[in-house]
Amino acid sequence: QVQVVESGGGLVQPGGSLRLSCVASGIIFSRTDMGWYRQAPGRQRELVARITWTGTTNSANAVKGRFTISRDNAKNTVYLQMNSLKPEDTAVYYCNAKDLFMWWGQGTQVTVSS
């Protein structure tokens, strides 16, 4: 059974930082591409950043230079370090694991507000 579980969301002031974590089980994590997506109220889910199983990363223009995705295969975990947060980063953040299928977590809320 595949499980994808996010953690680390919360309320942060503009300019602050958060680190999201996602643990995936039931898959061959070291051979799985991982990604972070987000969905704000009234908007479509969008890609934030992804990292392939070989370690290649890419990120959305809106977060370049502020967010960093990384992975620890020994812990079956992918991270999203978010710095210089802005109110427009407020959304539910979802972790995604992609092998032959797409597996999603339940999401974690990130709210950037003073």
Side-chain angles (χ1 to χ4, degrees):
Q1 181 181 357
V2 178
Q3 285 191 314
V4 179
V5 181
E6 305 97 335
S7 62
L11 173 64
V12 62
Q13 292 187 341
S17 297
L18 279 176
R19 188 177 80 157
L20 305 183
S21 301
C22 169
V23 179
S25 58
I27 57 174
I28 304 175
F29 185 85
S30 63
R31 296 295 187 180
T32 301
D33 296 342
M34 301 295 297
W36 286 97
Y37 290 71
R38 66 187 182 186
Q39 187 167 19
R43 302 192 64 174
Q44 290 188 328
R45 191 173 297 189
E46 62 180 5
L47 174 69
V48 176
R50 59 187 168 200
I51 182 166
T52 68
W53 67 273
T54 60
T56 300
T57 63
N58 69 293
S59 58
N61 288 335
V63 306
K64 281 186 190 298
R66 300 188 298 122
F67 291 9
T68 302
I69 189 170
S70 61
R71 65 191 296 157
D72 184 339
N73 289 342
K75 296 182 179 180
N76 279 22
T77 301
V78 63
Y79 303 99
L80 185 68
Q81 178 65 46
M82 305 186 294
N83 299 328
S84 301
L85 282 159
K86 304 175 181 180
E88 52 263 44
D89 295 317
T90 295
V92 178
Y93 284 70
Y94 296 91
C95 180
N96 170 263
K98 181 178 177 294
D99 48 22
L100 293 178
F101 303 97
M102 298 278 278
W103 309 96
W104 293 94
Q106 80 288 350
T108 186
Q109 176 70 47
V110 172
T111 302
V112 185
S113 174
S114 55

